[in-house]
Amino acid sequence: MRVHLTDSRAEAPGGPVLLLHGIGGSSGSFDAQIPALSARHRVLAWDAPGYGRSGDPAAPPGMSGYAAAAAALLPGPAHVVGVSWGGVVATRLALEHPGLVRSLVLADSTRGSGRTPEQAAAMRGRASELERLGAAAFAGARGPRLLSPRAPQELVDRVVTSMERSIRLPGYTYAAAAMAGTDHSDVLGSLSVPVLVVVGDQDRVTGVAESQAIAAAVPGARLAVIPGAGHLANQERPEEFNRLVLEFLESVPSPTSEA
């Protein structure tokens, strides 16, 4: 299965950064991050298996399968930035491939949708909704909720268009199933890399409380709340998001200093 990867290619002193998008996104979700991070880092942003320009998986990968697919893209140990579903994949990547992860940024993310039967059923139901409505109507209904109520219409339109172009079946179904089968609540405490948790103060999807719970469960994790941002804080408040991420990555000890 071919996985499409946007790669800034330029080697930089800060080491590589892998960007993992949310369940309704693609590598294009990080258009505002790639230029900002590329000054210090080689930046890699995938279209997840079954999304955008990537091929479709032959079978449901499960969360471990997505983590393994991400691991296969890395040239070596990397910082990993995951938004929403991408943050859950990033967490599993750090848990199961710890030698490949130098640090984690978990943005507007979650412990997984398998924490309650109700959450799991709601997540699986979103795939059925996509099948019933089609990508355009699904994106039109869901996209605006990913931003704050005061987000400019131009950004809302961009998010909706990007989602429509990025999602399809069976990829979305497989991603939703992986989320529905995941609960990282009991294993977050075993993460041993530096972690920054970021959330928009107006996130109506996963919410501030969920990010607070993640930060509380991870030893030494930092929590940053971005004012005026919804679930896609990296797109709605890119300057603040980029500043937080760059400052965090700068604080992560280099492999040489750890030796």
Side-chain angles (χ1 to χ4, degrees), residues 5-22:
L5 189 68
T6 298
D7 186 348
S8 68
R9 298 197 179 277
E11 296 298 337
V17 176
L18 176 64
L19 306 177
L20 304 176
H21 62 78

Side-chain angles (χ1 to χ4, degrees), residues 22-184:
I23 198 168
S26 68
S27 57
S29 302
F30 296 105
D31 283 350
Q33 279 67 61
I34 294 173
L37 298 180
S38 292
R40 288 281 304 164
H41 301 272
R42 178 184 177 186
V43 181
L44 312 169
W46 78 350
D47 289 346
Y51 280 77
R53 288 168 283 182
S54 289
D56 292 334
M63 198 59 71
S64 292
Y66 288 112
L73 301 175
L74 293 176
H79 306 285
V80 183
V81 178
V83 171
S84 193
W85 172 65
V88 185
V89 176
T91 301
R92 185 64 64 89
L93 175 61
L95 291 167
E96 297 187 351
H97 306 271
L100 288 176
V101 178
R102 288 184 57 194
S103 72
L104 285 175
V105 177
L106 306 177
D108 297 279
S109 194
T110 170
R111 291 165 286 181
S113 298
R115 293 189 296 113
T116 69
E118 294 77 15
Q119 287 180 323
M123 178 57 68
R124 292 190 178 97
R126 280 164 51 179
S128 300
E129 185 180 1
L130 172 59
E131 183 174 15
R132 177 174 58 85
L133 294 177
F138 180 88
R142 183 155 187 83
R145 292 191 64 243
L146 304 181
L147 300 164
S148 73
R150 294 188 177 182
Q153 188 62 43
E154 183 274 333
L155 178 58
V156 175
D157 293 343
R158 192 187 331 146
V159 166
V160 169
T161 299
S162 177
M163 182 184 295
E164 179 185 351
R165 293 173 177 172
S166 301
I167 61 174
R168 62 179 182 271
L169 301 173
Y172 193 95
T173 302
Y174 293 165
M179 279 289 282
T182 297
D183 179 6
H184 285 151

